[in-house]
Amino acid sequence: ICWLCGSAVYAIERRWSATWSANGRRPRLIAAAAVVGAAMILFLVRFIDFPFEDVVLAAAFAGVLAIVLMARVGLPPMMTRIARYGAQSSFTLYAVHFPVMALAAGIVVEGSRLHPDIAGVTWVGVLLTGSILIAGMLSRLTEARTAEVRNWLSTRISF
């Protein structure tokens, strides 16, 4: 169920984004209220144990994400670049980061734990940065070519 929340965000944003802006509502105020509401839900979920907390968290995050998307809140240029990178390579990063991090940790750590000192934190930063860079390079070979593959398939397969 949690995975479907992303599809719901897409559907909500596509359906109501135009009317949201056209109605003259105060989107930034509503987006801020949504973030505060989600923070309250996160606080409650952390301190109150109940059976469907994952679903509640996923729905709360999806709600905030949908509202922030529809509010069209501007981001600083650096955040825009990071968001664009994430949008273009999100699946590859998701699929690649764990195997890369596990392999690198096995090589660097060698069966013992890293100490929480400057060297340990530096290694974690280097491994994380390397994982992101590897995923970025792989996404240029895979996700960046999605439209080309889709067009090629549509010319070969007709329904």
Side-chain angles (χ1 to χ4, degrees), residues 6-91:
S7 297
V9 168
Y10 176 78
I12 289 168
E13 198 271 335
R14 294 286 293 200
R15 180 173 180 119
W16 289 310
S17 182
T19 58
W20 175 280
S21 300
N23 286 342
R25 296 185 181 141
R26 300 179 192 274
R28 288 177 189 249
L29 182 63
I30 294 171
V35 169
V36 169
M40 290 170 48
I41 290 171
L42 179 61
F43 179 80
L44 290 173
V45 167
R46 295 293 299 156
F47 294 106
I48 298 173
D49 204 18
F50 58 96
F52 299 107
E53 60 189 36
D54 289 344
V55 176
V56 171
L57 274 175
F61 179 76
V64 170
L65 185 58
I67 289 170
V68 169
L69 282 171
M70 291 189 301
R72 303 282 190 246
V73 177
L75 294 173
M78 181 61 169
M79 289 301 294
T80 303
R81 287 191 291 274
I82 292 170
R84 188 172 295 120
Y85 170 79
Q88 292 171 349
S89 61
S90 61
F91 180 77

Side-chain angles (χ1 to χ4, degrees), residues 115-125:
H115 296 286
D117 56 6
I118 191 68
V121 172
T122 302
W123 270 115
V124 170

